[in-house]
C-alpha cells in the first residue's frame, strides 16, 4: 500500500470538515487564535486538515510549512492555502520523518493531530529536531482523562471503536507526558475542560511548550 493510500480517509475527511466548521463557529476558532498568539517567524503546522488554522495566524508569522498526509484533507484546505496572506508550503509528509532541515522552524502548531500520529515520541523528536533552540511548540490537543474519572471510563469504553471510525484518532493519549519526555518545558501548558471539546475528546491540553 502506498503512503498516500495509507493516510487517505476520504469519508472521515468529509465528516471532519463539517465538525471543524461547526467548531470554528462554536468557539474552537478562538482557542486556535489564543494558542497561535505565541507563533512568529516560520511556522510549521503539523496536520493542516481543512486549513482553519491559517485564518488565525498572528502578524508575527512570516511563512508557513503545512504538513498534511491525507490527500482528501489537502484538497479541502486548498482554498484556505491560496487565500493565506503569507506564503504556505503544503507538504504530503509523515510526522515521523519531516523533510525539513534541523533548526529551520521557529514555532510548531499541533492542534488535534498528536491524537492520531502512530508514534508520538518519534513525531515529537522530529518536531524538536526541526525547531530552533528555544523554539515553541503550540499545543491544542485532546487527551486522556484520569482512568478513575467517568470521562476516562467512557474513553476506555469507546477507544476500540473510535480509532477505526475517526481516522486513527486516540482518546487515551498522555500528550503532556510525551511532550515532557521529548525534551520540552511544559510550564506554560495547562490541562482543562474547554468548550467546545466535549467527552470523549476532552480534557484538552493547551499552551506553549519550549524546546530545551
Amino acid at each position: 500500500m502506498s503512503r498516500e493510500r495509507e493516510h487517505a480517509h476520504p469519508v472521515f475527511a468529509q465528516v471532519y470538515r463539517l465538525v471543524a466548521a461547526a467548531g470554528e463557529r462554536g468557539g474552537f476558532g478562538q482557542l486556535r487564535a489564543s494558542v497561535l498568539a505565541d507563533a512568529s517567524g516560520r511556522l510549521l503546522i503539523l496536520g493542516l486538515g481543512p486549513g482553519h488554522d491559517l485564518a488565525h495566524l498572528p502578524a508575527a508569522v512570516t511563512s508557513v510549512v503545512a504538513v498534511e498526509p491525507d490527500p482528501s484533507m489537502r484538497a479541502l484546505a486548498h482554498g484556505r492555502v491560496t487565500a493565506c496572506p503569507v506564503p504556505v508550503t503544503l507538504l504530503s509528509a509523515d510526522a515521523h520523518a519531516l523533510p525539513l532541515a534541523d533548526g529551520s522552524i521557529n514555532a510548531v502548531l499541533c492542534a488535534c493531530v498528536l491524537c492520531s500520529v502512530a508514534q508520538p515520541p518519534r513525531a515529537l523528536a522530529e518536531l524538536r529536531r526541526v525547531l530552533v533552540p528555544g523554539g515553541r511548540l503550540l499545543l491544542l490537543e485532546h487527551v486522556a482523562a484520569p482512568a478513575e474519572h467517568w470521562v476516562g471510563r467512557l474513553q476506555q469504553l469507546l477507544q476500540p471503536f473510535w480509532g477505526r471510525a475517526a481516522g486513527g484518532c486516540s482518546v487515551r493519549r498522555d500528550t503532556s507526558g510525551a511532550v515532557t519526555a521529548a525534551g520540552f518545558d511544559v510550564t506554560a501548558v495547562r490541562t482543562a475542560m474547554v468548550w467546545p471539546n466535549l467527552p470523549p475528546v476532552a480534557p484538552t491540553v493547551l499552551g506553549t511548550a519550549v524546546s530545551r
Side-chain angles (χ1 to χ4, degrees):
M1 180 183 295
S2 71
R3 186 175 60 80
E4 283 282 296
R5 289 184 61 192
E6 178 186 355
H7 289 288
H9 301 282
V11 175
F12 173 70
Q14 292 301 323
V15 173
Y16 190 77
R17 173 180 66 86
L18 299 174
V19 171
E24 281 291 294
R25 295 190 298 269
F28 205 81
Q30 293 177 341
L31 289 176
R32 291 184 198 273
S34 67
V35 170
L36 274 164
D38 268 349
S40 62
R42 193 182 190 207
L43 171 69
L44 168 62
I45 298 178
L46 188 68
L48 181 63
H52 291 292
D53 299 312
L54 298 174
H56 302 287
L57 301 179
V61 170
T62 56
S63 64
V64 173
V65 178
V67 170
E68 179 48 67
D70 187 333
S72 300
M73 290 290 193
R74 291 200 303 274
L76 292 175
H78 177 75
R80 295 182 178 92
V81 169
T82 302
C84 188
V86 299
V88 179
T89 302
L90 181 55
L91 302 177
S92 170
D94 194 300
H96 307 100
L98 296 171
L100 298 169
D102 295 3
S104 60
I105 297 293
N106 300 105
V108 177
L109 173 67
C110 290
C112 302
V113 63
L114 292 176
C115 58
S116 59
V117 298
Q119 301 175 56
R122 183 176 167 189
L124 286 164
E126 274 291 273
L127 297 183
R128 190 162 179 258
R129 177 185 69 79
V130 303
L131 276 168
V132 298
R136 295 169 175 176
L137 174 60
L138 314 174
L139 294 168
L140 180 55
E141 296 281 345
H142 66 83
V143 295
E148 66 278 7
H149 193 278
W150 72 267
V151 175
R153 293 195 295 271
L154 176 64
Q155 290 173 335
Q156 292 179 70
L157 178 66
L158 293 179
Q159 180 56 43
F161 318 100
W162 188 270
R164 290 195 293 271
C169 170
S170 172
V171 291
R172 294 295 300 160
R173 290 275 166 91
D174 176 15
T175 298
S176 288
V179 170
T180 300
F184 290 88
D185 181 349
V186 296
T187 303
V189 175
R190 63 188 178 96
T191 302
M193 301 295 284
V194 295
W195 178 263
N197 276 10
L198 297 173
V201 287
T204 301
V205 293
L206 64 163
T208 300
V210 179
S211 179
R212 292 184 294 211

